[in-house]
Amino acid sequence: MAIDRVDAYLAEHRPRFEEQLKDLLRIPSVSAQPAHDADTRRAAEFIRDDLRSLGVAAELIEFPKGHPIVFGEKLDAPGKPTLLVYGHYDVQPPEPLEPWDQPDPFEPVVRDGKIYARGATDDKGQMLTHLKAAEAWLKGVGRLPINVKFLIEGEEEVGGANLEAFLTEHPDRLSCDYAVISDTSQFGPGQPAITYGLKGLAYFELIVEGANRDLHSGTFGGAVQNPLNAIATILASLKDDAGRIAIPGFYDDVRPLEDWERAEFARLPFSEEQFRAELDVPAVFGEAGYTTLERKWARPTCDVNGLWGGYSGPGPKTVLPRLAGAKFSFRLVPDQTPERVKHLVEAHLATVCPPGVRYSLTAMQGAPAVIVEAKGNPAVSAAMKAVEAGFGTPPVLIREGGSIPVVGLIKRHLGVDTLLLGWGQNDDNLHGPNEKFSLADFHRGIKAAAHLIAELAAIS
Amino acid sequence: MAIDRVDAYLAEHRPRFEEQLKDLLRIPSVSAQPAHDADTRRAAEFIRDDLRSLGVAAELIEFPKGHPIVFGEKLDAPGKPTLLVYGHYDVQPPEPLEPWDQPDPFEPVVRDGKIYARGATDDKGQMLTHLKAAEAWLKGVGRLPINVKFLIEGEEEVGGANLEAFLTEHPDRLSCDYAVISDTSQFGPGQPAITYGLKGLAYFELIVEGANRDLHSGTFGGAVQNPLNAIATILASLKDDAGRIAIPGFYDDVRPLEDWERAEFARLPFSEEQFRAELDVPAVFGEAGYTTLERKWARPTCDVNGLWGGYSGPGPKTVLPRLAGAKFSFRLVPDQTPERVKHLVEAHLATVCPPGVRYSLTAMQGAPAVIVEAKGNPAVSAAMKAVEAGFGTPPVLIREGGSIPVVGLIKRHLGVDTLLLGWGQNDDNLHGPNEKFSLADFHRGIKAAAHLIAELAAIS
């Protein structure tokens, strides 16, 4: 059978797949940092060239600004369905570098069967599984049993506009019957999962300005508002002591958890104490009235992501700084929208900003939450079989706290729900130092992705 | 008369004095930054060598750690009183560099009669006036009419321990009848002042730690306390909406303003609107119930001096950081002490720190406030005459919001009140970018310092 030839091909080429992953991880494609623009493009070219080597028609879609999209298609299965594979080749900034256990986050290190590098799990390692799955079909069997399109973007980590522009302008080129993304996590080691819900995101930058220059805190202290004190007051006002977001109206659009979901989540093996101990925090903390899994997956959150101003070097400096800055964001759940949240935040700031300073708020990234209908969906059933084939265990259905804006875009522009098949682990440190990805899961993911192609071919 | 020869000498050597000031400003003696340790020593050597060139016995007092003290003495007036001149050769860090109008804060630029450089007014320019005054006596007249000691330290901006160690171990070497410091400001352009009160300081660094690594704000948001949110809550709790410090017990030791002081301050020409407009703030802001001058000079204050944590680079980064840091400080008035304030802050933090994080508080610098008895003090009367001679206008008596810990140390260890004769201006941007000092005031200060020597000789 064809699938046996696919499996044999995968078994044979494991070492080469790992070397390819390392080569891709060596490219510091940090989309947020203009100094890495050329590297980001190199990562796009790497993907394009790999697709071309399989015989997939692949090209870079260019835009006036930002990073290109890699688009590829292999449409040699007339009458068969089309699968759109989405992934992203850009990565988060590696900074701060000091906490990394390796000198260079872009020189992969393999330890205990895991590969450590920025982008290992988010998303280069996971995304590459679908390319290697296609390779197994094309090189091991000679053809794909369905049509496949690849949409690999370079602005996922910065919420860039190019992907939506492409989807808006060329829905025809992207038309498909199914979509799949591997950019999430398993429920735990040995327990794969299919994610049916994702949070949305509303990300802001706030600048608070006081006097027209830095001042001496002795000479001017007490006479003018200090932007750092003011920004602390503003940020403290975002949440109450019980962990609830204190912006008036914020919860108006929040869809409550359904009873079956709370029951499902409660059944999953999750130790709050182990979670606490593994993070080494004195206590878990979140919105009162909800379990940790409910907070993580299905309740909106508010986090300050960055804070700066004044003097942070060694020793004391008695400065009253002219400016304070913060990045902060909300994870949204259905039916919140980033537009409405921005409106509420603006109204809240107008109320809570202390006198004596000016502020400006910029919305930097936004996406609504999504829920995929899981029950009775033949694509989800196909994915469950494929994941079981790859991992040797049936997956569980979970939600996720992260945001993958493209899932909403694919639904909106192409009318298709996305299969979220995550090969990562929760402790992979995506976005933090020492990001990693299990090489065993890398290969399991490739196999699951290859079987997904077979299972989707069998539906039709 | 001798004083005429002094005045003539000063008039003749103005250009050379300015060149010397520039040479001193070119030395980046940033005591807070270990990378500048060699430069800081060079500044000490510069002062020592200049004193030696006048025939003053001068040396560097070395300590196991930190920066040396320049000590010099010229005790050739037996039976005459001894004046101790204090100053500091270290400067604040110049960062951030971007707002400076000149490429290098350590390459002085003269514009509109003002010299721009880090340390111009704080304290190299002001301190140098006393060396040049001594030079005018020693080179212009041949001798000083009183005994003079010089105590020029290099740890003023970092609250180093060496000065107090020296004062504690060698009060004999430093014994004196009067002390003078020029490290404050005039009341305004054309209105010199003698400062009779200074605030104290209690400076802290606060570190708030959450999980053992940076986390993804989607995967972990809502499940653990965010150190940045927590530090905002803590810092916001330090003051109430009316600008009053909200730490329980904080005002217990605050000596109220006396009626005559409020009346004196109210008489001084001060336009709140001009102050506001000059700083370009939408409104002045401070403790309710007090005027701006009262807040600046005689009420305790609380300012966040630095804030950091998470991502502050370009673009969004959805990180939930492991650590947040802040530097914050209180300006104290009589009879507060930094020790008691530290105790109150510790008790307050234990109450307000949100759950789920750990914190540590470090006291970085501390000094009590000081008030010098002005009325009926012959040294103050002598200083008023000297300042009038230098500036052509009688000085007013004011207080200051800044802290000069050495004033308290001199009182405690040597039993002497200090004359605070400030030659700076309030808009000199000490501690900020574009620090400056008027060259006219530089020369007026030298003349006032030279006349102070004559006036003190006349008392005895």
Side-chain angles (χ1 to χ4, degrees):
Chain A
M1 272 176 63
I3 195 69
D4 298 326
R5 296 210 297 284
V6 165
D7 288 344
Y9 185 92
L10 295 181
E12 186 185 344
H13 290 274
R14 290 168 67 104
R16 188 173 53 76
F17 291 169
E18 293 181 14
E19 289 312 309
Q20 275 196 302
L21 174 56
K22 287 181 194 168
D23 287 342
L24 179 55
L25 292 171
R26 287 191 183 101
I27 305 174
S29 46
V30 183
S31 51
Q33 298 176 345
H36 284 299
D37 280 356
D39 297 317
T40 305
R41 170 168 294 269
R42 265 204 299 139
E45 291 165 350
F46 181 104
I47 302 300
R48 178 199 61 193
D49 295 346
D50 190 58
L51 287 170
R52 285 181 176 170
S53 76
L54 310 181
V56 175
E59 61 175 313
L60 298 194
I61 311 292
E62 304 285 355
F63 298 87
K65 288 204 312 187
H67 306 293
I69 286 171
V70 186
F71 179 69
E73 55 186 9
K74 188 72 176 171
L75 309 178
D76 293 342
K80 289 289 183 175
T82 299
L83 172 67
L84 177 69
V85 173
Y86 167 89
H88 64 92
Y89 63 81
D90 65 323
V91 300
Q92 281 276 315
E95 291 82 9
L97 298 177
E98 188 274 329
W100 285 79
D101 290 334
Q102 66 209 71
D104 180 357
F106 294 107
E107 182 50 52
V109 171
V110 174
R111 207 164 53 238
D112 299 333
K114 287 153 196 129
I115 188 160
Y116 289 81
R118 170 57 82 232
T121 191
D122 180 18
D123 178 45
K124 287 174 173 174
Q126 296 205 55
M127 174 263 290
L128 200 60
T129 60
H130 293 280
L131 274 69
K132 298 302 105 183
E135 175 179 328
W137 280 98
L138 289 165
K139 296 278 182 83
V141 177
R143 50 172 287 277
L144 283 160
I146 57 173
N147 303 295
V148 179
K149 295 179 178 181
F150 293 91
L151 174 68
I152 315 295
E153 70 153 324
E155 299 185 327
E156 199 271 348
E157 302 293 4
V158 291
N162 289 347
L163 180 73
E164 184 158 13
F166 189 47
L167 277 159
T168 306
E169 290 163 27
H170 299 287
D172 49 319
R173 294 190 72 180
L174 294 164
S175 66
C176 58
D177 302 288
Y178 310 109
V180 64
I181 301 178
S182 293
D183 197 16
T184 49
S185 286
Q186 302 178 58
F187 179 72
Q191 182 53 71
I194 293 178
T195 303
Y196 71 95
L198 288 169
K199 286 186 186 167
L201 178 68
Y203 196 110
F204 301 95
E205 183 169 285
L206 174 68
I207 301 294
V208 176
E209 291 182 274
N212 50 10
R213 59 183 189 269
D214 281 358
L215 301 172
H216 186 288
S217 73
T219 311
F220 290 92
V224 293
Q225 182 67 262
N226 179 325
L228 290 181
N229 292 66
I231 209 165
T233 298
I234 292 171
L235 296 174
S237 78
L238 297 177
K239 284 166 91 168
D240 68 18
D241 291 349
R244 207 174 147 83
I245 293 158
I247 297 170
F250 186 83
Y251 288 94
D252 288 354
D253 297 331
V254 170
R255 195 192 298 179
L257 272 154
E258 308 221 10
D259 290 344
W260 72 264
E261 292 179 291
R262 299 192 84 159
E264 279 287 317
F265 297 175
R267 248 199 303 279
L268 288 169
F270 179 78
S271 159
E272 216 151 81
E273 169 52 23
Q274 190 180 323
F275 176 81
R276 186 206 64 73
E278 197 266 319
L279 294 172
D280 193 22
V281 289
V284 300
F285 178 78
E287 188 189 2
Y290 294 90
T291 68
T292 293
L293 282 189
E294 287 167 352
R295 293 167 181 162
K296 278 161 57 80
W297 292 352
R299 294 295 298 174
T301 63
C302 166
D303 276 292
V304 181
N305 307 106
L307 202 45
W308 64 93
Y311 184 69
S312 57
K317 181 176 178 180
T318 47
V319 63
L320 195 171
R322 58 170 291 275
L323 181 144
K327 293 177 197 267
F328 64 100
S329 59
F330 302 87
R331 296 286 172 167
L332 311 181
V333 299
D335 298 304
Q336 297 181 292
T337 65
E339 295 75 20
R340 168 99 174 127
V341 167
K342 183 181 183 214
H343 174 77
L344 295 172
V345 169
E346 283 171 341
H348 182 67
L349 290 191
T351 307
V352 300
C353 183
V357 287
R358 302 178 177 93
Y359 67 88
S360 64
L361 182 77
T362 308
M364 301 194 82
Q365 203 171 355
V370 287
I371 293 261
V372 172
E373 199 51 63
K375 316 237 155 174
N377 183 333
V380 172
S381 304
M384 294 191 80
K385 284 185 219 159
V387 172
E388 183 167 359
F391 287 75
T393 310
V396 290
L397 286 172
I398 64 173
R399 285 169 72 166
E400 246 291 352
S403 309
I404 308 183
V406 66
V407 175
L409 295 178
I410 288 173
K411 179 75 177 177
R412 178 143 33 109
H413 292 283
L414 310 178
V416 170
D417 279 342
T418 297
L419 297 167
L420 294 166
L421 310 184
W423 319 138
Q425 292 293 346
N426 289 317
D427 66 351
D428 276 349
N429 293 345
L430 64 164
H431 292 209
N434 297 316
E435 178 178 349
K436 68 172 170 62
F437 185 39
S438 156
L439 286 172
D441 285 336
F442 175 59
H443 294 294
R444 291 180 189 122
I446 296 172
K447 187 169 178 182
H451 280 249
L452 177 68
I453 289 169
E455 295 293 344
L456 292 176
I459 292 179
S460 52
Chain B
M1 273 178 61
I3 194 68
D4 298 326
R5 296 211 296 285
V6 165
D7 289 344
Y9 185 93
L10 295 181
E12 185 184 342
H13 290 272
R14 291 168 66 104
R16 190 174 51 76
F17 292 168
E18 293 180 13
E19 289 311 310
Q20 275 196 302
L21 174 57
K22 287 181 195 167
D23 287 343
L24 180 55
L25 291 171
R26 286 189 184 104
I27 305 174
S29 47
V30 183
S31 52
Q33 297 176 345
H36 283 298
D37 280 357
D39 297 316
T40 305
R41 169 168 295 270
R42 265 204 298 139
E45 290 165 351
F46 181 104
I47 303 298
R48 178 199 61 192
D49 295 345
D50 190 58
L51 287 170
R52 284 182 178 170
S53 75
L54 310 181
V56 174
E59 60 175 313
L60 298 194
I61 311 292
E62 304 284 356
F63 298 87
K65 289 204 311 188
H67 306 293
I69 286 171
V70 185
F71 180 69
E73 54 187 9
K74 188 72 175 173
L75 309 177
D76 293 344
K80 289 290 184 176
T82 299
L83 172 67
L84 177 69
V85 174
Y86 166 90
H88 64 94
Y89 62 81
D90 65 324
V91 300
Q92 280 277 314
E95 290 83 11
L97 298 179
E98 189 275 330
W100 285 80
D101 290 334
Q102 64 208 75
D104 180 357
F106 294 107
E107 183 50 53
V109 171
V110 174
R111 208 165 50 239
D112 297 333
K114 287 153 196 130
I115 187 160
Y116 289 81
R118 169 57 84 231
T121 192
D122 179 19
D123 176 46
K124 286 173 173 174
Q126 296 206 54
M127 174 263 289
L128 200 60
T129 61
H130 294 280
L131 274 71
K132 299 303 104 185
E135 175 179 327
W137 280 98
L138 289 164
K139 297 277 183 81
V141 177
R143 49 173 286 278
L144 283 159
I146 57 173
N147 302 296
V148 179
K149 296 179 178 181
F150 293 91
L151 174 68
I152 315 295
E153 71 153 323
E155 299 185 326
E156 199 268 350
E157 301 293 5
V158 293
N162 290 346
L163 181 74
E164 183 157 17
F166 189 47
L167 277 159
T168 307
E169 290 163 29
H170 300 287
D172 50 319
R173 296 190 72 180
L174 294 165
S175 67
C176 56
D177 302 288
Y178 310 109
V180 65
I181 301 178
S182 293
D183 197 15
T184 48
S185 287
Q186 302 177 57
F187 179 73
Q191 181 52 71
I194 293 178
T195 303
Y196 71 95
L198 287 169
K199 286 186 187 170
L201 179 67
Y203 196 110
F204 301 95
E205 183 170 286
L206 174 68
I207 301 293
V208 176
E209 291 182 273
N212 50 9
R213 60 182 188 270
D214 282 358
L215 301 171
H216 186 288
S217 73
T219 313
F220 291 91
V224 294
Q225 181 67 262
N226 180 325
L228 291 181
N229 291 68
I231 209 165
T233 298
I234 293 170
L235 296 173
S237 79
L238 298 176
K239 286 166 91 168
D240 68 16
D241 291 349
R244 206 173 148 84
I245 292 158
I247 298 171
F250 185 85
Y251 289 93
D252 287 355
D253 298 332
V254 170
R255 195 192 298 178
L257 273 154
E258 309 221 10
D259 289 345
W260 72 262
E261 291 180 291
R262 300 191 83 162
E264 280 287 317
F265 297 176
R267 248 200 301 279
L268 288 169
F270 178 79
S271 159
E272 215 150 83
E273 169 52 23
Q274 190 180 323
F275 176 81
R276 185 207 64 72
E278 199 266 318
L279 295 171
D280 192 22
V281 289
V284 299
F285 178 77
E287 187 188 3
Y290 294 91
T291 68
T292 293
L293 281 188
E294 287 167 353
R295 293 167 181 162
K296 279 161 57 82
W297 291 351
R299 293 295 298 173
T301 62
C302 166
D303 276 293
V304 181
N305 308 106
L307 202 45
W308 64 94
Y311 184 71
S312 57
K317 182 177 177 181
T318 48
V319 63
L320 195 170
R322 58 169 291 275
L323 182 145
K327 295 178 195 267
F328 64 99
S329 59
F330 302 87
R331 298 286 174 167
L332 311 180
V333 300
D335 299 306
Q336 297 181 291
T337 65
E339 296 76 19
R340 168 99 174 125
V341 167
K342 183 183 183 213
H343 174 77
L344 294 172
V345 169
E346 283 170 341
H348 182 68
L349 290 191
T351 307
V352 299
C353 182
V357 287
R358 302 177 177 92
Y359 67 87
S360 64
L361 181 78
T362 308
M364 301 196 82
Q365 202 171 354
V370 287
I371 292 262
V372 172
E373 199 49 62
K375 316 237 154 171
N377 183 333
V380 172
S381 304
M384 295 191 81
K385 285 185 220 160
V387 172
E388 183 167 358
F391 287 75
T393 311
V396 290
L397 285 171
I398 63 171
R399 286 169 72 166
E400 245 291 353
S403 308
I404 309 183
V406 66
V407 176
L409 295 178
I410 288 171
K411 179 75 176 177
R412 176 144 35 108
H413 293 282
L414 309 178
V416 170
D417 279 342
T418 296
L419 297 166
L420 294 166
L421 311 184
W423 318 139
Q425 292 294 348
N426 289 317
D427 66 351
D428 276 348
N429 293 345
L430 63 165
H431 293 207
N434 298 316
E435 179 177 348
K436 67 172 171 61
F437 185 39
S438 155
L439 287 172
D441 286 337
F442 175 59
H443 294 294
R444 291 181 189 123
I446 297 171
K447 186 169 178 182
H451 280 249
L452 177 68
I453 289 169
E455 296 293 344
L456 292 175
I459 292 179
S460 51

